[in-house]
Amino acid sequence: MEHRWQPGTLWYGDFSRLHSVINTGDQVRIHLVIDCSISPGLLSLFPEHFQSRVPMSEVAYNRPEVPLQAFELAHFRCEVPVPPCVLRLDDQASESAEPDLPAQVIDHEGTLVLKVSGGPSIALVHVGGGDFRFQGWIEERGLHLDLFGDSPRAVFYTRRGRRRQQITRTAALPQS
């Protein structure tokens, strides 16, 4: 799909999808681009004709952080195997033959962190009910920790529009 954005206009682009930009004119053009999380308040700033065309069921709104109490941090500590596709931020979560990577959810200076052995450490932002988004991301990628029943588990998910994929792994609680 090709767009021709004209000077003085407001536009929105989903740059998480494959895209390219080319200036075919003979004048230098400058665009002010603001990368931000979408909230109902932000969306309300766009013109009505734009808002009326937005498929709301595809919008990944950014839920605000729900801070955990200091004593709660220990409740979410666990060991969990991480599917490698979860760490490739351009991939959707899907089962593959690749071996899982050992990881731990730890408390690091008052923040929960997914620490992958031999890989990255990703800060987790609690958005309520044991749901966490990866810090710096909207809720297109996250983790649900369900550690309080008989079968502790971690559910990794990715979302693109209405399509949500998830991978569940058994979690191990730290020895008391």
Side-chain angles (χ1 to χ4, degrees), residues 47-139:
E48 179 58 38
H49 72 276
F50 173 85
Q51 292 181 51
S52 67
R53 295 189 328 260
V54 174
M56 293 301 182
S57 62
E58 292 188 18
V59 176
Y61 284 111
N62 186 36
R63 289 186 285 174
E65 179 176 8
V66 177
L68 295 169
Q69 299 288 351
F71 70 87
E72 291 179 285
L73 297 173
H75 296 170
F76 289 101
R77 289 179 41 225
C78 64
E79 293 182 8
V80 61
V82 176
C85 65
V86 170
L87 303 178
R88 290 191 298 270
L89 300 179
D90 57 341
D91 277 358
Q92 288 283 95
S94 60
E95 295 287 351
S96 74
E98 294 177 275
D100 288 342
L101 304 169
Q104 297 176 308
V105 174
I106 62 169
D107 171 11
H108 178 72
E109 299 177 0
T111 299
L112 287 177
V113 174
L114 177 65
K115 184 176 174 63
V116 180
S117 180
S121 293
I122 302 168
L124 301 174
V125 178
H126 183 246
V127 293
D131 285 344
F132 298 86
R133 71 172 183 271
F134 294 172
Q135 186 171 28
W137 278 80
I138 60 172
E139 294 184 52

Side-chain angles (χ1 to χ4, degrees), residues 27-47:
Q27 291 183 326
V28 173
R29 293 186 64 180
I30 298 172
H31 292 262
L32 173 62
V33 178
I34 301 171
D35 184 10
C36 54
S37 298
I38 299 173
S39 68
L42 175 64
L43 196 56
S44 74
L45 298 175
F46 284 77

